[in-house]
Amino acid sequence: MTGPWRWEYRAYDPADERLVESLCTLGNGRFATRGAAPETTADAVHYPATYLAGCYNRLASQVAGRTVDNEDLVRLPDWTALRYRCLPDGAPPGDWLTPDHPALRKCHVRLDLADGTLTRRMLFQDADGRRLGVTHTRLVHMGDPHLAAQRTAFRAYGWSGRIEVVSVLDGDVANTGVDRYRALAGRHLAEHRAGAGADGTDWLACTTTASRIRIGLAVRTSCRPLAAAGRTCSPDRATQTSLLPVRRGRDAVVVKTAALFTSLDRPTADPVHRARAHAGRAPDFPTLLESHRAAWQPIWAAGELKTPGETGRILRLHAFHVLQTLSPHTAELDAGVPARGLHGEAYRGHVFWDELFVLPYLTLHFPETARGLLMYRHRRLPAAREAARRTGARGAMFPWQSAGSGEEETQRLHLNPHSGRWLPDHSRLQRHVGSAVAWNAWQYGLATRDTGFMHGPGAELLLSTAQFWASVASWDPGLGRYRIRGVVGPDEYHDAYPDAAAPGIDDNTYTNVTAAWALARALDLHDELPAARRADLRAQLGLRPGDTAAWRDVSHRLHVPFHAGVVSQFHGYGDLTELDWDGYRARYGDIRRLDRILEAEGDTPNRYQASKQADTLMLGHLFRPAELAGLFARLGYTLDDALWERTVSYYLPRTCHGSTLSSVVHGRVLARQRGADAWRFCREALLGDVTDVQGGTTGEGIHLGAMAGTLDLVERAVVGLYPAADGLHVDPAPLTEIPRSVFSVCCLGHRGIGIRFLPGRIGVSVPPSLLGPLPLVLPGGRRVRVAAGRERWFRLPAG
């Protein structure tokens, strides 16, 4: 159940608990804690876990007779753990109570989005009619990124006595949150030390085994009424046991205030010492709650997207999780965009191309955070350049999966749960991630006019990407075109030609067209650089005298394949067999993971015209129709509306949407075309995590790209906002299901530009500032200006 600012679950269902825990995660951009009940430990139903942005560790595992290295986002010690049981006067002690206990009568979980708090209320009743009400309230502080707190209130109904409460700081944890990874090593923490201070603060120190990140956690546990406490420590656990008197009508309260520091923090210091001091001087819970709420207010003012009804409620939840994963605090960290947020261990916490769906929203609302995430890529340029060198290429080859080091972290094997077999994984051949990095950097530059970034790190990113594409494009004299061979496109299902000995396909259209775009933008940026900076960069990157001429040539002559009057997904796609879609749906129902179904049958999607997700159509997600037509024209091809519409219609029935990103892309493309199915895909994108469309995946971590993608879908597709060299453009593609929206953006140096989008008109307000007026380009190319301190309304063309 939901309200405008609340997300609620009014019953406990073990089958849904992992989903609830993910969607009720709390974070502040530095660390996050899943919404698990504090009474629980990791098992088949529950998974309490805390994750720190950028905290990775590498372990070796024995898989299918091979040694496999994986770098994972590390599950940190559990600071929330709390155990309790009733000790009624004149009666034997009761059981330790958990949400799974038969005595549970009511359970209500409420996530408050405005406040960034999680409240879990439970009512237990034993066989003698004695009842105990328990209310947990949790926060991960948005103002102080090192603090979190949890308040637990107990109320006795119909009895008096005591409650035995055991507060635990538990370091005996491992990464076990994804079933298909269970065969992999998961013990990332070692060298545990625990202790108890005289001030009631317990502490725990540990170190990641390979990356050698030192972690210090401290928890101050306070009780009301005051209760005598016993304390025990083992190397990996600190425990505080209290006996709290309870009587009718008066709460007994336990508050755990946690502080987290690591050796990743700056300035450097002993993490345990800092954690103990920070937890010890932290304010009481009401004061922490008040300052936490206050810290959320400016974030919501800058990041909220208001639309009516169910859509608005879901978009608010999506914004909440994006901003918990990537808050203004993230700008100060060396962290990328984890595809599953800081909410779980799926994809091992790695960074993929999902930032392509996340940074457009952040750039328009929190540009400093977007810049910080681009710097994550920039810091890993040396690793990307070394990866390119090892393949015989020049420039930078960014990894498909990135983590701490910037090296390729894509696994060599993956498990098919349908067949139980470990299979080769060739997804590392998705070279298009480099174009995504370049696209994000370019869009950031257009929106912010941050020449310091664009002439510095941005130029290094774009020019290094251009170097790579030019070096891997090979000339085919028969075609009179350059070709990019041996890659995998966004589709992922096609990683080789049928019966081929080597992996990879040739001339993936998305890869080639975005490579041409990246080359063209690198040339633009190279030419606008001041002469001294250009000379420095050429020396730094090792550019040769004829390199930019080669870039220009490749950007005009890359090959794009066609078949049957449509743009081909890749060379040879039209020669593949048509799949019996109706037959497979009849046999299996849900065929989103068609690759697993076919492999279990001894078959492969490489034989069929069947895609996991949007591939060629991704071009319609990145580029507006005129821009895309211009790109094709640069390459010497004609792409008119009729050809693009045929291409969209061709791939729609041949895509099984095995990724949550697919519905975002198809919704956007069809909205632009006024397609009849646009809302069906938009709605599926909205509901992807809320209803766990992929079947059990949300419990392993939310899909951050899909969540941010729905926000971007409204702002850049429905409202049609996009920054360009000549100003902020408005080019709407209205959906009747999203009749209006209100939000604010940062663009061209202005902060808090108010956007009010209504049927047939748009209002734009520019806050007072010393900047000049905001240039707008309306549909049809009409150019207007909105002065600082003014609001203007404009009519929009119908339909």
Side-chain angles (χ1 to χ4, degrees):
M1 297 180 64
T2 64
W5 285 92
R6 290 181 176 178
W7 208 258
E8 300 181 80
Y9 299 90
R10 295 188 177 274
Y12 173 76
D13 184 348
D16 290 338
E17 191 64 8
R18 288 283 182 99
L19 171 70
V20 172
E21 291 176 356
S22 282
L23 291 179
C24 292
T25 294
L26 297 179
N28 58 21
R30 180 175 175 270
F31 75 98
T33 296
R34 283 170 58 87
E39 301 88 348
T40 62
T41 57
D43 57 24
V45 175
H46 311 99
Y47 197 66
T50 292
Y51 305 100
L52 176 74
C55 183
Y56 292 97
N57 187 63
R58 188 180 303 280
L59 291 177
S61 306
Q62 295 300 313
V63 177
R66 297 170 56 180
T67 299
V68 177
D69 285 337
N70 286 299
E71 191 176 30
D72 293 72
L73 187 69
V74 177
R75 181 186 176 203
L76 299 186
D78 182 12
W79 65 272
T80 68
L82 197 75
R83 316 284 181 257
Y84 51 87
R85 61 179 176 173
C86 299
L87 306 177
D89 292 337
D95 297 333
W96 296 102
L97 296 175
T98 70
D100 303 291
H101 196 281
L104 181 71
R105 294 293 178 267
K106 294 180 180 179
C107 182
H108 178 204
V109 179
R110 186 184 75 216
L111 179 67
D112 288 280
L113 304 180
D115 296 344
T117 59
L118 176 65
T119 303
R120 184 183 290 260
R121 291 187 172 90
M122 294 180 290
L123 181 67
F124 298 92
Q125 182 173 319
D126 66 15
D128 296 317
R130 289 183 286 258
R131 294 182 297 162
L132 177 70
V134 182
T135 301
H136 303 293
T137 304
R138 183 183 299 168
L139 62 87
V140 175
H141 206 282
M142 186 55 81
D144 185 329
H146 297 279
L147 283 180
Q150 176 178 279
R151 180 185 187 273
T152 301
F154 301 98
R155 176 162 290 199
Y157 298 93
W159 64 281
S160 60
R162 294 176 297 172
I163 296 177
E164 183 178 1
V165 178
V166 181
S167 173
V168 183
L169 176 54
D170 186 7
D172 183 19
V173 298
N175 282 39
T176 59
V178 179
D179 286 343
R180 61 188 175 279
Y181 301 165
R182 290 293 175 87
L184 304 176
R187 288 277 175 183
H188 292 281
L189 301 177
E191 303 174 21
H192 293 80
R193 294 179 296 115
D199 59 353
T201 299
D202 298 323
W203 56 269
L204 176 68
C206 53
T207 304
T208 57
T209 58
S211 55
R212 308 305 298 165
I213 299 170
R214 291 175 292 124
I215 298 160
L217 258 170
V219 173
R220 186 186 73 203
T221 303
S222 57
C223 302
R224 193 188 75 240
L226 292 175
R231 303 167 79 180
T232 60
C233 293
S234 64
D236 59 9
R237 181 174 300 188
T239 302
Q240 189 172 144
T241 302
S242 304
L243 295 176
L244 277 70
V246 291
R247 62 177 186 267
R248 296 181 184 89
R250 184 172 180 180
D251 288 347
V253 176
V254 176
V255 175
K256 299 184 72 171
T257 305
L260 170 63
F261 284 84
T262 77
S263 56
L264 297 176
D265 296 322
R266 297 294 180 269
T268 57
D270 176 45
V272 170
H273 175 77
R274 296 184 73 181
R276 292 176 63 182
H278 210 65
R281 63 173 176 261
D284 60 15
F285 190 84
T287 304
L288 277 176
L289 180 59
E290 182 179 1
S291 60
H292 172 65
R293 287 169 170 165
W296 264 107
Q297 289 177 5
I299 292 176
W300 277 124
E304 185 188 3
L305 170 59
K306 300 176 184 176
T307 64
E310 178 194 27
T311 297
R313 290 192 291 271
I314 296 174
L315 287 170
R316 190 172 286 120
L317 177 73
H318 287 182
F320 180 74
H321 284 298
V322 172
L323 296 174
Q324 289 195 121
T325 307
L326 305 168
S327 80
H329 296 299
T330 310
E332 303 170 6
L333 307 177
D334 181 28
V337 179
R340 304 301 284 271
L342 298 173
H343 297 61
E345 293 160 16
Y347 303 161
R348 299 180 176 85
H350 290 174
V351 175
F352 293 70
W353 72 324
D354 298 60
E355 63 204 59
L356 191 66
F357 298 84
V358 176
L359 260 66
Y361 166 78
L362 290 176
T363 295
L364 287 177
H365 295 269
F366 301 92
E368 289 82 8
T369 302
R371 191 184 198 276
L373 295 168
L374 288 167
M375 290 303 298
Y376 166 87
R377 292 295 191 180
H378 179 260
R379 294 186 193 99
R380 284 151 184 80
L381 261 177
R385 295 183 68 83
E386 173 60 20
R389 188 197 64 78
R390 287 197 299 265
T391 67
R394 299 175 62 209
M397 185 178 79
F398 287 97
W400 176 238
Q401 295 187 33
S402 179
S405 68
E407 297 179 0
E408 179 62 77
E409 299 298 341
T410 304
Q411 61 274 13
R412 297 283 182 175
L413 298 173
H414 71 269
L415 176 68
N416 181 359
H418 289 280
S419 67
R421 288 189 285 265
W422 287 90
L423 308 167
D425 190 321
H426 302 304
S427 59
R428 67 183 58 238
L429 296 177
Q430 293 187 75
R431 308 300 190 210
H432 59 82
V433 65
S435 293
V437 174
W439 189 88
N440 279 323
W442 187 260
Q443 296 302 316
Y444 170 83
L446 289 175
T448 63
R449 305 287 170 86
D450 182 353
T451 55
F453 175 83
M454 292 306 295
H455 290 182
E460 294 175 35
L461 289 170
L462 265 77
L463 271 61
S464 296
T465 301
Q467 274 185 304
F468 174 73
W469 284 131
S471 71
V472 299
S474 60
W475 177 253
D476 186 328
L479 278 176
R481 290 274 179 180
Y482 290 97
R483 308 184 67 182
I484 299 177
R485 300 176 180 270
V487 300
V488 171
D491 159 38
E492 294 188 340
Y493 277 0
H494 295 92
D495 62 1
Y497 287 103
D499 304 318
I505 49 91
D506 300 335
D507 299 314
N508 172 254
T509 290
Y510 175 80
T511 300
N512 285 15
V513 173
T514 56
W517 175 90
L519 287 160
R521 298 294 77 76
L523 287 165
D524 292 343
L525 185 54
H526 176 271
D527 291 347
E528 78 172 36
L529 290 171
R533 175 58 179 157
R534 186 186 309 129
D536 288 345
L537 265 181
R538 292 183 68 90
Q540 176 187 337
L541 303 181
L543 293 182
R544 301 164 183 167
D547 278 354
T548 53
W551 298 0
R552 195 174 310 277
D553 191 41
V554 175
S555 74
H556 281 92
R557 303 172 76 179
L558 271 167
H559 178 50
V560 175
F562 295 79
H563 76 277
V566 302
V567 182
S568 293
Q569 183 170 307
F570 55 83
H571 175 74
Y573 184 88
D575 299 328
L576 301 179
T577 302
E578 291 283 7
L579 183 78
D580 179 9
W581 291 93
D582 291 339
Y584 272 90
R585 288 192 176 95
R587 288 162 58 190
Y588 293 99
D590 186 352
I591 60 169
R592 292 176 187 273
R593 290 312 306 263
L594 181 65
D595 58 332
R596 294 174 175 174
I597 293 171
L598 289 171
E599 192 280 327
E601 293 182 344
D603 206 345
T604 170
N606 285 328
R607 295 179 54 230
Y608 301 101
Q609 293 188 34
S611 299
K612 175 184 177 182
Q613 59 193 28
D615 192 300
T616 305
L617 302 192
M618 266 297 302
L619 295 171
H621 176 80
L622 293 188
F623 306 114
R624 302 178 312 280
E627 190 178 7
L628 186 56
L631 269 172
F632 271 69
R634 181 186 183 94
L635 290 166
Y637 301 101
T638 298
L639 181 71
D640 57 20
D641 290 345
L643 172 56
W644 180 246
E645 288 174 9
R646 288 197 306 271
T647 301
V648 172
S649 298
Y650 185 87
Y651 288 106
L652 271 174
R654 291 172 173 83
T655 305
C656 61
H657 308 292
S659 165
T660 55
L661 297 175
S662 191
S663 54
V664 173
V665 175
H666 283 85
R668 182 190 188 91
V669 169
L670 290 172
R672 174 59 60 184
Q673 289 189 344
R674 312 293 196 268
D677 287 334
W679 178 244
R680 176 170 71 87
F681 287 106
C682 293
R683 180 169 171 77
E684 183 171 300
L686 287 165
L687 296 177
D689 275 323
V690 173
T691 61
D692 199 9
V693 166
Q694 297 285 335
T697 63
T698 303
E700 302 169 347
I702 54 97
H703 297 82
L704 194 69
M707 285 189 167
T710 61
L711 303 168
D712 180 51
L713 191 151
V714 174
E715 294 181 355
R716 284 201 312 127
V718 176
V719 180
L721 285 188
Y722 61 94
D726 56 351
L728 182 61
H729 285 236
V730 180
D731 185 18
L735 285 174
T736 57
E737 295 86 355
I738 307 179
R740 59 186 182 274
S741 57
V742 178
F743 53 95
S744 67
V745 297
C746 303
C747 195
L748 309 182
H750 293 276
R751 299 273 177 156
I753 301 168
I755 306 294
R756 296 174 63 83
F757 181 73
L758 302 176
R761 59 195 183 116
I762 188 170
V764 179
S765 61
V766 179
S769 76
L770 297 178
L771 297 172
L774 173 71
L776 286 179
V777 182
L778 300 174
R782 180 187 170 197
R783 300 177 185 278
V784 297
R785 300 168 80 82
V786 182
R790 294 287 304 277
E791 180 180 36
R792 292 187 63 183
W793 283 84
F794 307 97
R795 293 199 174 276
L796 300 172

